[in-house]
Amino acid sequence: MIYMNTSLAELLSDRYQYEEIVGFRKTYDLPTYTGDIDSLYYFVNHSAKKNRFRKRFDEAMDIAKKILESYENEKTNLPGVYR
């Protein structure tokens, strides 16, 4: 999936949804339940081993990938930096 031009409001909404899914009753086996970039990378790269059968795992994975893709796109295409 390609998510481009995601607004800040959409990203914050997605982060909130992600945190609600993985933080609900602390049923996911994660080191932290926050939606910061490092936690999202950990979730995408390592969580399938222990969490793939958890409720709404696929939805949380899609949201995490969407946020990370937007982050990577912004990191490599900074509009104020001329090369």
Side-chain angles (χ1 to χ4, degrees):
M1 289 185 213
I2 297 177
Y3 301 99
M4 297 182 75
N5 300 326
T6 306
S7 72
L8 179 59
E10 289 175 286
L11 286 173
L12 291 174
S13 176
D14 289 340
R15 180 180 172 187
Y16 175 77
Q17 289 175 352
Y18 168 81
E19 289 176 348
E20 285 294 307
I21 293 169
V22 299
F24 183 71
R25 295 186 184 166
K26 308 284 191 236
T27 57
Y28 280 75
D29 186 12
L30 298 170
T32 180
Y33 298 100
T34 61
D36 61 79
I37 294 298
D38 293 330
S39 298
L40 291 169
Y41 275 120
Y42 180 88
F43 182 79
V44 169
N45 294 323
H46 302 288
S47 68
K49 296 172 192 165
K50 296 182 180 180
N51 296 304
R52 68 181 175 270
F53 299 117
R54 306 264 189 227
K55 191 174 188 178
R56 299 177 68 191
F57 172 78
D58 292 332
E59 183 182 357
M61 182 62 78
D62 288 343
I63 293 170
K65 286 180 179 178
K66 178 181 176 182
I67 294 169
L68 290 175
E69 188 171 328
S70 178
Y71 170 74
E72 289 295 326
N73 185 43
E74 287 297 319
K75 190 169 78 171
T76 59
N77 298 315
L78 296 174
V81 178
Y82 299 101
R83 294 173 196 199

